[in-house]
Amino acid sequence: MIKKAKANLVTIKNKDDKKLSMALMASYVVLTIQYAILISFNLMDTDSGAMVQLLSKGLVGLFFLYALPVVLKRRKFTVLGIYFTSLFVFLLHFLFFPENRVYIGEISVSFFLMCVPAFLYSLCLHDWKVLKDRMKKTSWFVFVFGLIAGIQIVVGGAAAGTYSMSLSYYILLPAILFIDEFFEKFTLRSLFVAFLSVLVILALGARGAILCIAVFILFRIIRPYAKFHYRRILLYLAILVSTLLVFVNLERILVTLNGFLLKFGITSRSVMLFLNNEEIHLSGREKIYHYVLGEIAAHPVLGVGLGGDRVSGLGYSHNLFLELGSNFGVILGGILSLVLILLIVRSFFLKNKAKSQMVVIWLCLGFVHLMVSGSYLIEMKFWILLGLLINVHFLVPAKGEGLHAEKENHPGYDLKYHRNGSAHPDSSAGDPTIHRYKSR
């Protein structure tokens, strides 16, 4: 009876984690379909396109509602506390920074309906392997639809302007997931899909996505998660040597790639900017950085409030740490930045390698590009990362929750948790195993 009850508990939790994972990945699926529809029927910047975008957001919201009972069951008071605190901060800024009210209103929709739910759902996740499995399935879907959209743009069947930032960050998911799979299994399939994904980003996407891929590859080379044997060592050395050769011959490779793309009528903005040897092309960001730094210097204590970096008309800060500084001032913004950095660095040294690897993946999906593009206030992927960081570093699992399913299925597992987040096998179950499991 005890074993059956444990098995039922694991099954229920697994279903709940699937709901949470589905909600977290729904935006990738829905927004990729949305993008394909918009460019296929030339609906960008039209009233019909706006309607499609509104319907897409509503559909993502339905996925969040579907998984909401799981969140309320696991962290009901956390949900109330997070929403109350967030609303309090936004109201304070709305009252004390009246010049920002228009921008605060614009930010609020995405923040409260997308970012906060993403944070809470990743915060409530127990079995991260369920999320990883859902991410892999989503990657295949995004890859296929993204590739179809890319082919349409190449053959002239659709128009996406000079470049497509949206497409590049959608395709970034399969690019990183299949690069990760290649490092794990060294399969030709994962290499092929990763190569095509990177090629689409280079041809049609933004430099920020390329930066994310480069950082992820660097992390995987510096800290491999799989056990080493002679074949894997040789392959890692081959990857390292290939990376060095690419770096040394980067300009020649870019020139060749640019010529290849021009044959198909594609002028890659990213490749052209990489070939700019005269200076690092910041695409006007230097003006934004100069303005934001000036505002921080002029208001070091309180900053200029949420959305204050947008008042000049130049746009958002294009850098996470500058945006935090402008939103909250040097002291509070600096503390928030330091805490975030410490959480990320600490994640690299987790004993649970699977969780450490997952943090690195979401670091490159939702954090790296915020150094040069995007705003943390409306970037859902950043809040998924933040939820996972809080999840792994601060949350002590409730009774019967928090260890991976394979541990809970162990016949000697008695669901007794200790304050340090570990559990012992139950000797009464007849299992002579003497080691103990650790949740981290």
Side-chain angles (χ1 to χ4, degrees):
M1 288 294 293
I2 295 177
K3 291 182 180 179
K4 187 175 181 180
K6 292 176 183 177
N8 291 335
L9 177 62
V10 171
T11 301
I12 293 171
K13 287 191 292 180
N14 189 267
K15 289 182 179 179
D16 288 345
D17 284 324
K18 284 183 178 179
K19 291 180 181 179
L20 293 174
S21 301
M22 188 182 299
L24 290 172
M25 300 312 297
S27 63
Y28 271 104
V29 175
V30 174
L31 294 180
T32 302
I33 295 176
Q34 169 197 285
Y35 181 84
I37 293 173
L38 291 177
I39 67 162
S40 297
F41 296 99
N42 197 26
L43 297 177
M44 291 288 189
D45 301 321
T46 65
D47 292 338
S48 299
M51 182 61 66
V52 171
Q53 291 174 321
L54 183 62
L55 290 174
S56 298
K57 291 178 180 179
L59 187 56
V60 174
L62 290 177
F63 279 98
F64 277 119
L65 285 175
Y66 173 67
L68 181 60
V70 178
V71 179
L72 295 177
K73 180 174 67 175
R74 292 184 175 180
R75 301 283 175 184
K76 177 172 60 178
F77 293 107
T78 302
V79 171
L80 295 175
I82 292 296
Y83 266 105
F84 176 80
T85 303
S86 300
L87 186 61
F88 179 72
V89 171
F90 268 72
L91 286 176
L92 277 182
H93 284 248
F94 188 84
L95 290 174
F96 289 100
F97 299 97
E99 65 277 9
N100 300 352
R101 288 176 180 174
V102 173
Y103 306 102
I104 291 174
E106 294 173 354
I107 293 167
S108 297
V109 177
S110 295
F111 182 80
F112 285 102
L113 297 182
M114 301 294 289
C115 295
V116 176
F119 171 74
L120 291 168
Y121 284 41
S122 58
L123 191 73
C124 292
L125 195 68
H126 291 159
D127 191 347
W128 291 26
K129 287 187 177 181
V130 175
L131 176 60
K132 185 70 174 291
D133 180 66
R134 182 61 59 182
M135 288 169 63
K136 287 182 178 179
K137 292 178 180 177
T138 304
S139 294
W140 275 112
F141 185 92
V142 173
F143 170 73
V144 171
F145 272 82
L147 187 62
I148 291 173
I151 291 173
Q152 288 188 80
I153 295 172
V154 169
V155 300
T162 308
Y163 73 109
S164 176
M165 181 177 292
S166 299
L167 179 61
S168 61
Y169 286 116
Y170 298 152
I171 293 289
L172 182 61
L173 177 69
I176 286 181
L177 263 291
F178 284 105
I179 290 173
D180 182 63
E181 182 179 293
F182 175 70
F183 273 92
E184 288 291 327
K185 301 178 181 179
F186 296 104
T187 61
L188 289 177
R189 182 193 69 174
S190 56
L191 179 62
F192 179 71
V193 176
F195 173 77
L196 284 181
S197 300
V198 173
L199 185 61
V200 170
I201 293 173
L202 266 175
L204 306 170
R207 289 173 295 169
I210 298 298
L211 175 64
C212 295
I213 293 171
V215 171
F216 181 74
I217 292 174
L218 180 62
F219 277 128
R220 290 301 266 120
I221 292 175
I222 291 175
R223 186 167 185 201
Y225 295 94
K227 293 182 179 180
F228 275 116
H229 50 73
Y230 74 94
R231 182 171 173 266
R232 187 172 292 275
I233 292 174
L234 290 175
L235 286 170
Y236 265 88
L237 287 174
I239 292 172
L240 181 60
V241 171
S242 300
T243 303
L244 291 174
L245 288 175
V246 168
F247 182 77
V248 171
N249 298 282
L250 184 59
E251 184 174 355
R252 186 180 302 175
I253 293 171
L254 289 174
V255 169
T256 303
L257 177 61
N258 189 50
F260 173 77
L261 294 174
L262 287 174
K263 291 180 180 179
F264 295 92
I266 301 173
T267 302
S268 171
R269 178 177 179 269
S270 296
V271 173
M272 294 300 295
L273 291 176
F274 285 136
L275 286 172
N276 185 358
N277 294 322
E278 296 179 2
E279 59 180 3
I280 298 176
H281 199 285
L282 296 177
S283 303
R285 288 178 177 83
E286 62 277 7
K287 295 180 181 178
I288 298 174
Y289 294 158
H290 180 76
Y291 169 78
V292 174
L293 285 171
E295 290 296 292
I296 294 173
H299 308 86
V301 179
L302 298 177
V304 292
L306 295 173
D309 53 341
R310 295 154 167 81
V311 172
S312 66
L314 295 174
Y316 54 84
S317 298
H318 284 76
N319 181 277
L320 170 63
F321 299 121
L322 284 181
E323 189 170 8
L324 285 172
S326 67
N327 291 164
F328 302 105
V330 175
I331 298 174
L332 182 55
I335 292 173
L336 292 173
S337 300
L338 182 60
V339 169
L340 179 60
I341 292 172
L342 290 176
L343 289 177
I344 291 172
V345 172
R346 189 183 175 198
S347 300
F348 299 150
F349 303 99
L350 289 173
K351 292 181 179 179
N352 189 318
K353 293 183 178 180
K355 289 190 174 183
S356 180
Q357 184 181 9
M358 180 69 85
V359 170
V360 170
I361 289 173
W362 281 102
L363 180 75
C364 296
L365 287 173
F367 175 82
V368 173
H369 73 285
L370 291 179
M371 297 299 99
V372 294
S373 182
S375 168
Y376 79 94
L377 290 168
I378 57 174
E379 178 54 83
M380 194 175 77
K381 297 187 292 295
F382 169 77
W383 291 92
I384 293 176
L385 168 67
L386 191 59
L388 293 176
L389 288 172
I390 302 300
N391 185 321
V392 76
H393 290 304
F394 294 105
L395 296 189
V396 177
K399 186 177 181 180
E401 301 176 346
L403 294 187
H404 287 307
E406 67 270 17
K407 295 177 182 177
E408 294 163 337
N409 280 324
H410 194 283
Y413 184 68
D414 69 350
L415 300 180
K416 292 179 181 177
Y417 281 80
H418 299 267
R419 296 189 66 180
N420 62 358
S422 62
H424 293 284
D426 183 3
S427 58
S428 64
D431 193 326
T433 307
I434 59 172
H435 68 279
R436 73 179 190 176
Y437 299 116
K438 293 182 179 179
S439 63
R440 297 284 190 261

